[in-house]
Amino acid sequence: MGVCNLCEAICGLELTIEGRDVLSVRGNRADPLSRGHICPKGVAIADVYADPDRLRRPVRRVGEGPDAQWLEIGWDEAFDLVATRLARVIEEHGDDALGVYLGNPNAHSLGSMTHGTAMFKSFRTKNRYSATSVDQLPHQLVAHLMFGHQLFLPIPDIDRTSWFLVIGANPMASNGSLMTVPDFPQRARDLKARGGRMVVLDPRRTETARIADEHHFVRPGTDAWVLMAMLHVLTVEADDAPTVAAYVDGLATVVDLVADFTPERAEAMSGLPAGEIRRLAHELAAAGAGVVYSRIGVSAGPWGTVCQWAVNCLNILSGNLDRVGGAMFTTPAIDAVGTGLIGRGHHDAWRSRVRGLPETAGELPVSALREEIETPGDGQVRALLTVAGNPVLSTPDGSRLDGVLPGLDFMAAVDIYVNETTRHADVILPPTTALERDHYDLVFHLLAVRNTARFTPGVFEKEDDQRHDWQIFREITLRTTARLSRRAPLKKRVIQRARLTASPTFLIGQLLRRGTSGVTLKKLRARPAGIDLGPLRGGQLPGRLPSKGRRLDLAPALVVQDVARLAAMPTPVGDELLLIGRRHQQDCNSWMHNSARLTKGRPRHQLLMNPADLADREIVDGARVRVTSRIGSVEVEVAASEDLMPGVVSLPHGYGHARDGVLMTRSREVAGVSVNDLTDPELLDVSGNAALNGVPVAVTAC
């Protein structure tokens, strides 16, 4: 038995192995959540394990630029080198001189969730960054402001809903996100079979839109207008005044906020007809069980926070929060929210040095990282530690970040590849891969469409000269803090060492024993396919609200202020093109292109563009074009597609590997450019999340 923890679907696997080789990978039909489902990435988990390009022992860079060489060194030498250099920078320039960046895979690693978190807390730097601020930060901020905890997130009860509105999300390709929903295709068929409906709003006819009952184009960056107009219909235009539960505050403020956001104004902004907006609002209100769901197409836009707040408001005002078939809350075996294992979050406790951008949940927007490295002064980032991240391809204006990394005093990476970012590191410490370590999902059981629990032991024992990620985090933490003149009290250091020495598996056993589900590690070991804890349960509020007083704030001040800014947004004019990203089921951000099985077949790197927009610019299908934004330009082939709304163009995320020093053989052969050589670090949502969608661009023939 195994688990695919490459994406949020956390599908159960059955593996056939011989010695240390994987012969086949299949979906596990006995898994109560994934039910035998598997996508191409799940099969390719074996490719990552067997990849000859992945690092297995520490390497140190010798030389600069394209001529740099990587020399294997011992683990003790590597740990001491990293600890000495990090401590030196902190001692000479202060805590904030160290910058840390966490990539997306950290949320999928048990060792990172336990020991990695402890490592980053041991560093007192304010220069903390992660992929969160190019992804789901608005969702977390809104959950914190409305419900009292950043990960107390309502989950669509897709297995029992009758009306499902999907905005800026593509679960057919992503397998769900902030909605752990393996086997979405079957669940969508089941929805239709029981007479339910799915409606998709998106500027591209996505894979999800193609199977929906309806799809409507919406201009990028204007989803907030559509959602606000739907709220207007449910409140101002309703025959009866809306009502909410006694524990909900702020209804009158919401009614006032949406008063001027009429469907007619929303049509002028978004392109979605006013009549359709009214109809969708009425259908939601009339559905016996309906739910609205939005994701990265919205959260990685200029109004991500307002959008996610409006989605919650729609679910609340339509009576669909905390009820069967609506937006519900999980009851996992390990409640990372209720136990305080993951912090509540906060906002604007400090600000970035250069641009004054507010932190959220202890992290600054990653859009500020480059300027914090290149701008001299107190607090300048002089050393950088990245963990399973590739911000050169994954964050705005990646080419300029690429250009400033060589100027760091020191850089270390915990990673299995020499990629576009880690090629600048002085030392790379490679952890074991998913098939070599134990796993329990602390986050994604919390976000799943059904309550389940599953522990997966490592399929292979690690080799003697390998280290798990938690062992790497332990050594970096203990050896770096030992070299600092500022030392924690002895009692705190003893507790820290004890916690870091305990394995993640031991800690999971302790956490399960403290829970109320009756699930233990022993029971999970006896049932490796997982234990079914039943469907999502309604009627949990207000008892489970993490907020003080068990109150739900329908109108947080930060959102109220941003709605005023939204109201002043000018009506779109002219023939400006807007750039959006896209994902494919065979892509996994920027790091799975080294698998031949995932990159074979038709190329999918092209700029997609509506035929009418091509004709207006006298560009032919298949031509090479130059795409230019405020911050840069790229050259790429264009492909005509009726799936794109006129005025919208699309490039996929995670491409652009052909750079000097990248040691990923297959990836370098994959055509394509990085969309983040065009995205603008100054385009931000109020949360600090990058607005990667809706970037103004020009397209010309080369």
Side-chain angles (χ1 to χ4, degrees):
M1 299 293 184
V3 60
C4 177
N5 56 350
L6 299 176
C7 80
E8 297 182 39
I10 60 172
C11 296
L13 304 178
E14 288 185 352
L15 300 102
T16 303
I17 62 174
E18 185 177 285
R20 295 191 66 87
D21 297 325
V22 179
L23 302 184
S24 70
V25 181
R26 299 175 303 278
N28 184 356
R29 293 183 180 276
D31 188 286
L33 182 62
S34 60
R35 311 180 306 193
H37 176 74
I38 189 173
C39 83
K41 291 190 290 291
V43 179
I45 197 169
D47 299 343
V48 177
Y49 165 73
D51 192 345
D53 285 338
R54 83 164 168 106
L55 302 174
R56 289 163 171 79
R57 286 162 287 281
V59 291
R60 177 172 59 88
R61 180 170 53 83
V62 178
E64 302 290 338
D67 298 326
Q69 301 292 315
W70 293 94
L71 302 181
E72 281 193 5
I73 57 177
W75 282 102
D76 276 332
E77 180 183 353
F79 288 140
D80 284 339
L81 177 55
V82 170
T84 298
R85 296 295 298 275
L86 293 182
R88 181 184 304 168
V89 167
I90 293 170
E91 290 284 280
E92 293 180 359
H93 302 287
D95 291 329
D96 295 338
L98 172 62
V100 294
Y101 176 83
L102 285 78
N104 170 271
N106 285 278
H108 303 264
S109 165
L110 176 59
S112 185
M113 293 300 298
T114 55
H115 293 62
T117 300
M119 178 182 74
F120 285 108
K121 285 183 178 179
S122 75
F123 301 130
R124 299 186 182 183
T125 179
K126 294 178 180 178
N127 279 302
R128 299 177 184 172
Y129 308 88
S130 82
T132 296
S133 55
V134 286
D135 195 331
Q136 79 275 5
L137 187 57
H139 294 257
Q140 293 183 215
L141 177 58
V142 167
H144 162 67
L145 295 174
M146 295 186 76
F147 305 122
H149 194 287
Q150 61 179 328
L151 283 183
F152 195 64
L153 295 168
I155 307 302
D157 186 18
I158 187 173
D159 289 340
R160 293 177 291 181
T161 195
S162 60
W163 196 87
F164 188 32
L165 179 60
V166 178
I167 306 174
N170 188 13
M172 283 292 288
S174 69
N175 301 311
S177 182
L178 298 184
M179 174 181 66
T180 296
V181 57
D183 200 12
F184 181 83
Q186 183 58 51
R187 285 180 155 100
R189 289 191 290 269
D190 293 342
L191 169 63
K192 186 170 293 188
R194 61 178 181 266
R197 290 171 53 76
M198 179 167 66
V199 181
V200 174
L201 306 182
D202 201 289
R204 181 169 74 92
R205 188 176 294 106
T206 62
E207 293 85 347
T208 303
R210 290 175 197 150
I211 69 162
D213 296 281
E214 295 180 34
H215 166 245
H216 302 278
F217 285 133
V218 174
R219 184 176 293 113
T222 65
D223 310 84
W225 284 86
V226 174
L227 294 166
M228 295 291 285
M230 290 180 67
L231 285 171
H232 174 97
V233 174
L234 292 184
T235 56
V236 178
E237 297 185 7
D239 293 333
D240 300 315
T243 60
V244 292
Y247 58 82
V248 177
D249 301 319
L251 175 60
T253 302
V254 173
V255 175
D256 289 342
L257 277 179
V258 303
D260 294 331
F261 285 86
T262 65
E264 285 72 24
R265 289 190 68 191
E267 176 179 349
M269 301 298 292
S270 69
L272 182 61
E276 296 295 332
I277 294 173
R278 285 190 171 90
R279 180 178 63 82
L280 293 175
H282 289 309
E283 286 187 4
L284 172 62
V291 64
V292 184
Y293 164 68
S294 71
R295 195 45 198 103
I296 195 166
V298 169
S299 58
W303 306 101
T305 295
V306 170
C307 284
Q308 187 51 33
W309 164 80
V311 166
N312 285 345
C313 286
L314 283 171
N315 288 327
I316 293 168
L317 295 186
S318 64
N320 285 298
L321 182 72
D322 192 34
R323 85 170 183 187
V324 171
M328 305 180 73
F329 299 95
T330 58
T331 49
I334 297 177
D335 183 3
V337 171
T339 61
L341 184 63
I342 297 175
R344 293 175 177 270
H346 42 74
H347 180 70
D348 206 7
W350 66 83
R351 296 200 165 209
S352 66
R353 177 179 60 103
V354 177
R355 222 188 315 170
L357 299 176
E359 64 77 38
T360 301
E363 295 181 4
L364 291 171
V366 72
S367 291
L369 176 58
R370 185 262 309 160
E371 64 204 37
E372 294 296 332
I373 294 174
E374 69 177 0
T375 306
D378 291 341
Q380 177 185 7
V381 173
R382 295 173 178 269
L384 181 66
L385 173 63
T386 67
V387 179
N390 191 1
V392 167
L393 290 193
S394 301
T395 66
D397 202 3
S399 60
R400 287 188 66 188
L401 176 63
D402 190 31
V404 303
L405 292 179
L408 289 164
D409 292 353
F410 181 72
M411 178 178 169
V414 179
D415 209 293
I416 62 173
Y417 288 119
V418 180
N419 63 28
E420 293 74 19
T421 299
T422 63
R423 64 190 173 131
H424 297 296
D426 296 280
V427 180
I428 304 176
L429 307 168
T432 54
T433 63
L435 296 183
E436 300 162 293
R437 58 190 184 223
D438 297 350
H439 189 66
Y440 183 96
D441 275 288
L442 284 171
V443 173
F444 301 112
H445 286 307
L446 189 67
L447 305 177
V449 298
R450 188 174 182 87
N451 293 309
T452 62
R454 179 185 56 214
F455 173 77
T456 308
V459 176
F460 300 107
E461 291 287 335
K462 73 174 181 64
E463 297 177 2
D464 290 341
D465 56 354
Q466 288 184 294
R467 297 292 183 273
H468 295 308
D469 57 358
W470 68 270
Q471 295 172 317
I472 295 173
F473 300 141
R474 177 190 64 198
E475 294 303 317
I476 292 176
T477 304
L478 296 178
R479 298 189 193 210
T480 302
T481 53
R483 286 164 167 77
L484 296 175
S485 58
R486 168 189 41 78
R487 305 287 295 278
L490 177 60
K491 181 179 179 180
K492 187 174 182 179
R493 280 183 278 144
V494 170
I495 293 173
Q496 180 190 60
R497 178 175 288 275
R499 180 184 172 185
L500 289 170
T501 300
S503 73
T505 301
F506 174 81
L507 296 175
I508 286 298
Q510 297 295 307
L511 290 168
L512 286 168
R513 274 198 287 270
R514 296 176 193 171
T516 59
S517 67
V519 174
T520 65
L521 189 57
K522 182 179 180 180
K523 290 180 180 179
L524 290 175
R525 286 187 182 277
R527 298 175 64 180
I531 295 176
D532 186 12
L533 301 176
L536 304 184
R537 300 201 294 268
Q540 299 193 65
L541 302 185
R544 283 196 62 209
L545 278 172
S547 57
K548 294 180 180 178
R550 308 297 185 195
R551 309 295 298 176
L552 192 161
D553 187 359
L554 207 58
L558 181 69
V559 176
V560 172
Q561 295 166 9
D562 212 37
V563 168
R565 190 169 65 95
L566 174 68
M569 179 180 172
T571 303
V573 295
D575 60 353
E576 184 177 61
L577 296 173
L578 298 176
L579 174 68
I580 63 172
R582 69 178 186 271
R583 307 276 173 136
H584 190 280
Q585 196 178 55
Q586 290 175 244
D587 292 331
C588 190
N589 298 321
S590 67
W591 72 280
M592 289 291 286
H593 289 146
N594 223 43
S595 167
R597 85 176 74 211
L598 292 183
T599 52
K600 63 185 179 182
R602 291 187 305 170
R604 51 185 186 268
H605 67 282
Q606 299 96 333
L607 178 78
L608 298 185
M609 193 167 179
N610 188 280
D613 292 324
L614 285 173
D616 288 345
R617 291 158 180 80
E618 299 182 343
I619 300 172
V620 299
D621 183 17
R624 192 165 182 82
V625 296
R626 179 175 294 106
V627 189
T628 304
S629 70
R630 185 188 73 85
I631 60 101
S633 65
V634 297
E635 292 185 7
V636 67
E637 295 81 12
V638 69
S641 175
E642 295 280 1
D643 289 337
L644 266 292
M645 181 180 187
V648 179
V649 296
S650 174
L651 274 174
H653 168 70
Y655 287 70
H657 304 289
R659 307 183 189 217
D660 290 338
V662 174
L663 301 184
M664 301 173 71
T665 307
R666 178 67 180 183
S667 294
R668 288 179 54 84
E669 297 171 354
V670 175
V673 296
S674 174
V675 66
N676 285 314
D677 287 347
L678 298 171
T679 53
D680 192 333
E682 293 187 8
L683 298 179
L684 299 175
D685 170 59
V686 68
S687 65
N689 205 84
L692 304 178
N693 293 306
V695 177
V697 296
V699 178
T700 56
C702 289

